[in-house]
Amino acid sequence: MTPNDRNSVTSSKQDLTPLRIALPLIFNSLRVVTESDVLPLGSVLGRVIAKDFLAPISVPPFDNSAMDGYAVRSLDLAGSNMLLSVKDRIPAGAIGDKLSQGESARIFTGAQMPQGSDAVVMQENCEFVNHEKGLIRVLQPVSAGENVRSLGNDIRQGTCLFRAGHRIKSTDIGVLASLGVENINVKRKLKVSLLTTGNELQPPGKSLASGKIYDTNIAMLSSMLVGLGCSVTKHHAVADTFAETLKVFEEAAGESDCVISTGGVSVGEEDHVRDVVESLGKIDLWKLALKPGKPFAFGRIKSHDLIPKFFFGLPGNPVSAFVTFGLIVRPSLLAMMGCKAQAPTSFKVATDFERIYVSEREEYLRSRLDSSSEGMVARPLNNQSSGVAVSLSEADGFIVVPSFSKVNYGDRLGFIPMSEFLY
Ligand code: AMP
Ligand code: MG
């Protein structure tokens, strides 16, 4: 984007870019990792499938009983005779003998249907006529296929179950396990350098020195990155000087696919991140029409290289850092891992508040979801200051108030559940 383009997409004299413009701009400049790893199923949660995955077998691999009862030939029960001999007992895992006319087999849930049978009568619908002779009466006839889970009913061999770019969930791991999959081809981990800036930051372990605060962002964001399946290198509390910031950014860019920083991204005398990135590459985007999260920057370090290092500069306030991470960084990293690039999903929900002032910045209000007689309603938490990180823990998600909009009670607005940011 040229400076002119930038002016044309910003919303005001303050040069704030709306998220709907910023996101595609960022998505379009990212690079998807091409390399992949073959990993055991136990370690692929959250990773992205590298190649379309076709089912190697059918599931279930054979017709089997859906309940405890008697395997029968349904045609035997089509007339008036409801008496059958019981010739076999087939627990799950065992193989029974073929059934001939007039024969049945005691069968249990999950056991393979014996040859010749085509239905199962539930045990509740049978009674013994003669125990010694093994004779039962069927109280309710069954039609072919009844109470049978047929071969391939769940998965047909050869079906494409997961397209390349699919991010693996625990439920997918269950499906893959049902196919006997031991290893799977996933995109390699993204390498991310996370650095926090600020002379005031102190690592945990010691009581706070005067004027210092503990570093919230490094722990919060690195846990989110690990959850996304990234490998993270942390650089704690980079001092607020140009020289120190430059040194750490050079190191970070050398070791990773992208660099994420928090703090120091405004234009104060103590803010050096922007100047440093401009000296190492290029800032493509700066300042968003977003609340919280205005002082956000996106750029490229070594921008002339074939594969530049992508840079996300987040605000220092933990709430603003969290919101911009969830709205922008998380989907960007997923796109770099090969997932479809898309903004977090929202749904419409009735709001339980009003607001008469309008803002040019789209607002993301930390909110609770409650049920009411009219269905779910979203209520913003009282304290929306970007300094109160506890409200992130208390929130069920974010109400999205569009820019230049008032809010009336009952308005249906977008709501992004917290899970969209966290998993
Ligand atoms: P900055 O964006 O550097 O101007 O920081 C904005 C506010 O966020 C300041 O009050 C900082 O002290 C605070 N802050 C910056 N980084 C962190 C961090 N890693 N953990 C907690 N608070 C921070
Ligand atoms: Mg700072």
Side-chain angles (χ1 to χ4, degrees):
M1 183 161 92
T2 66
N4 279 344
D5 293 335
R6 194 158 1 153
N7 287 339
S8 68
V9 297
T10 51
S11 66
S12 79
K13 53 188 179 305
Q14 273 192 31
D15 240 20
L16 302 182
T17 306
L19 199 58
R20 73 185 151 72
I21 305 285
L23 270 184
L25 186 148
I26 295 172
F27 288 162
N28 288 336
S29 48
L30 297 172
R31 172 187 173 271
V32 179
V33 297
T34 49
E35 307 87 346
S36 60
D37 299 319
V38 175
L39 293 180
L41 206 55
S43 53
V44 296
L45 182 64
R47 302 290 291 272
V48 176
I49 293 206
K51 280 194 207 145
D52 287 358
F53 178 87
L54 308 186
I57 60 167
S58 290
V59 177
F62 47 81
D63 292 349
N64 67 92
S65 177
M67 46 187 58
D68 291 353
Y70 293 85
V72 299
R73 300 152 42 102
S74 58
L75 271 182
D76 290 352
L77 303 168
S80 55
N81 176 34
M82 291 289 159
L83 296 184
L84 297 173
S85 68
V86 183
K87 76 170 301 194
D88 213 348
R89 184 177 184 281
I90 318 173
I95 299 293
D97 290 337
K98 183 174 176 184
L99 297 190
S100 303
Q101 194 176 356
E103 290 178 338
S104 73
R106 180 81 172 107
I107 195 163
F108 297 87
T109 307
Q112 181 163 352
M113 296 291 287
Q115 262 185 43
S117 69
D118 63 357
V120 173
V121 183
M122 321 168 44
Q123 59 193 17
E124 293 84 341
N125 290 340
C126 297
E127 61 183 17
F128 262 99
V129 178
N130 188 323
H131 253 290
E132 283 78 59
K133 290 188 181 160
L135 207 59
I136 55 163
R137 174 180 292 115
V138 173
L139 304 175
Q140 222 169 55
V142 279
S143 41
E146 220 173 306
N147 301 325
V148 176
R149 300 187 289 218
S150 54
L151 182 154
N153 174 39
D154 187 6
I155 302 168
R156 281 259 160 221
Q157 184 176 22
T159 308
C160 180
L161 285 179
F162 304 112
R163 295 262 171 225
H166 176 86
R167 187 153 176 252
I168 300 172
K169 310 181 291 291
S170 298
T171 42
D172 305 329
I173 290 178
V175 169
L176 292 164
S178 77
L179 294 162
V181 172
E182 282 187 279
N183 299 304
I184 186 146
N185 198 345
V186 292
K187 291 280 191 182
R188 77 151 162 87
K189 279 193 170 192
L190 265 191
K191 288 183 259 175
V192 177
S193 288
L194 174 64
L195 53 100
T196 52
T197 69
N199 291 341
E200 74 278 32
L201 301 181
Q202 187 183 303
K206 281 190 268 170
S207 54
L208 276 175
S210 52
K212 304 278 183 181
I213 59 170
Y214 289 122
D215 186 341
T216 306
N217 294 341
I218 199 107
M220 176 176 66
L221 297 181
S222 71
S223 74
M224 291 168 86
L225 288 164
V226 169
L228 278 176
C230 300
S231 80
V232 189
T233 310
K234 292 183 272 189
H235 299 267
H236 296 255
V238 179
D240 287 321
T241 65
F242 182 86
E244 187 60 20
T245 310
L246 180 68
K247 184 175 138 259
V248 180
F249 261 87
E250 277 181 320
E251 195 183 326
E255 71 203 1
S256 294
D257 302 301
C258 72
V259 179
I260 301 171
S261 66
T262 74
V265 76
S266 297
V267 281
E269 283 170 31
E270 299 290 319
D271 297 324
H272 303 285
V273 167
R274 211 174 152 235
D275 290 343
V276 161
V277 174
E278 273 182 331
S279 76
L280 295 173
K282 193 167 176 295
I283 296 278
D284 294 309
L285 184 78
W286 185 54
K287 288 215 272 191
L288 300 174
L290 188 66
K291 190 176 177 186
K294 182 170 82 169
F296 172 91
F298 170 74
R300 284 161 293 158
I301 299 172
K302 302 186 185 166
S303 48
H304 297 298
D305 285 11
L306 190 59
I307 304 173
K309 306 302 173 97
F310 297 98
F311 158 70
F312 299 90
L314 277 46
N317 257 314
V319 174
S320 313
F322 180 84
V323 169
T324 46
F325 186 95
L327 290 175
I328 305 165
V329 182
R330 182 180 177 280
S332 298
L333 298 180
L334 288 173
M336 288 175 78
M337 292 178 198
C339 295
K340 189 170 165 226
Q342 57 187 12
T345 307
S346 63
F347 54 83
K348 293 279 186 211
V349 64
T351 51
D352 190 27
F353 73 110
E354 72 174 348
R355 216 176 63 180
I356 49 171
Y357 71 89
V358 300
S359 161
E360 69 165 315
R361 289 155 73 188
E362 184 173 56
E363 253 188 88
Y364 288 75
L365 304 174
R366 280 149 276 161
S367 305
R368 300 297 295 258
L369 264 190
D370 292 310
S371 54
S372 76
S373 51
E374 270 114 72
M376 296 301 270
V377 289
R379 290 194 182 97
L381 291 161
N382 284 337
N383 193 343
Q384 293 290 327
S385 153
S386 52
V388 289
V390 166
S391 60
L392 286 176
S393 284
E394 291 170 350
D396 296 316
F398 296 88
I399 296 174
V400 185
V401 181
S403 51
F404 303 108
S405 301
K406 291 181 188 170
V407 181
N408 296 308
Y409 277 100
D411 280 356
R412 294 183 71 76
L413 295 181
F415 184 88
I416 302 178
M418 203 50 118
S419 55
E420 280 293 299
F421 281 24
L422 290 179
Y423 306 111

